[in-house]
Amino acid sequence: MKPDTHETRGDAMSAVAMAHGPRRMMATNGESHGHLSAAGALNGTDVQHLDVCALTRHAVALLQATGHVETREVQLELPEEPVFARVSRQRLEQVLLHLIADAVDARRSGADNARAVRLTVEPQDDFGDYGPTFRVHYPARELPGPEATALAREAPQAGLKMARELVETLGGCFRVRSVGLTSTTVTVELPDPGTASW
């Protein structure tokens, strides 16, 4: 049993390193180089019909297994039925890892760190108006006055930028809505699996 546990932890560390490594490179080497590191290795050959809820649980478990996230820091609100999407598993997992890690970082640095990061998943619309959707809602990062502008353009936004670019390669839609220093909601809408074609 120990070899399996060790192997699983190794896989988790590799997946999380893929999400965190390019973000550090972006801060030191420029945006384009970081983006190539994140997305260049993912060639989209793993496109499959997958359950977004299961992948969401898996991404949170990876972050918990590697010590990046504590159990109480992320609250999942998932439907009882599976929510399917036809996308690259690797890319969608990277999107989730970036968004969850950034949200937890923002939660920890904010004044209101009692609230957990909330991640919800919704099924696609029956009429095909929108595809499967997930939202990450978290307390906004509070930054001191003079530093706010500079910091907001650097590390706190690096993960969001990378996640946005990955979502666009999936053919999805990425939106960020902030309410002052109170809260931030990131919405990712994936292509409808019934109408998407790859």
Side-chain angles (χ1 to χ4, degrees), residues 40-156:
L42 302 173
N43 57 17
T45 57
D46 68 334
V47 168
Q48 58 186 279
H49 197 63
L50 57 88
D51 179 4
V52 179
C53 296
L55 190 59
T56 299
R57 284 190 289 266
H58 178 68
V60 172
L62 286 178
L63 291 168
Q64 290 174 345
T66 53
H68 289 88
V69 170
E70 295 179 16
T71 306
R72 62 182 178 80
E73 291 185 300
V74 179
Q75 174 187 349
L76 296 179
E77 297 178 7
L78 309 176
E80 293 182 9
E81 298 296 322
V83 175
F84 292 107
R86 189 165 184 261
V87 293
S88 163
R89 178 187 174 89
Q90 286 182 323
R91 293 190 186 209
L92 184 56
E93 181 178 71
Q94 289 302 302
V95 170
L96 287 163
L97 289 172
H98 278 301
L99 293 182
I100 296 167
D102 270 11
V104 169
D105 286 347
R107 175 192 175 276
R108 289 174 179 172
S109 66
D112 185 10
N113 58 11
R115 286 189 295 162
V117 170
R118 210 169 76 240
L119 200 161
T120 62
V121 175
E122 300 171 8
Q124 65 272 13
D125 175 48
D126 290 338
F127 300 101
D129 291 334
Y130 56 86
T133 303
F134 64 87
R135 291 183 176 82
V136 182
H137 182 81
Y138 53 96
R141 192 185 308 260
E142 286 197 27
L143 301 170
E147 301 172 12
T149 304
L151 287 176
R153 290 177 181 169
E154 293 174 10

Side-chain angles (χ1 to χ4, degrees), residues 25-38:
M25 291 178 66
M26 178 181 286
T28 57
N29 298 338
E31 293 179 359
S32 60
H33 189 260
H35 171 61
L36 289 174
S37 300

Side-chain angles (χ1 to χ4, degrees), residues 91 95 161-174:
R91 293 190 186 209
V95 170
K161 178 176 175 57
M162 230 171 256
R164 180 190 299 273
E165 292 174 353
L166 285 166
V167 168
E168 289 172 354
T169 68
L170 295 171
C173 180
F174 187 98

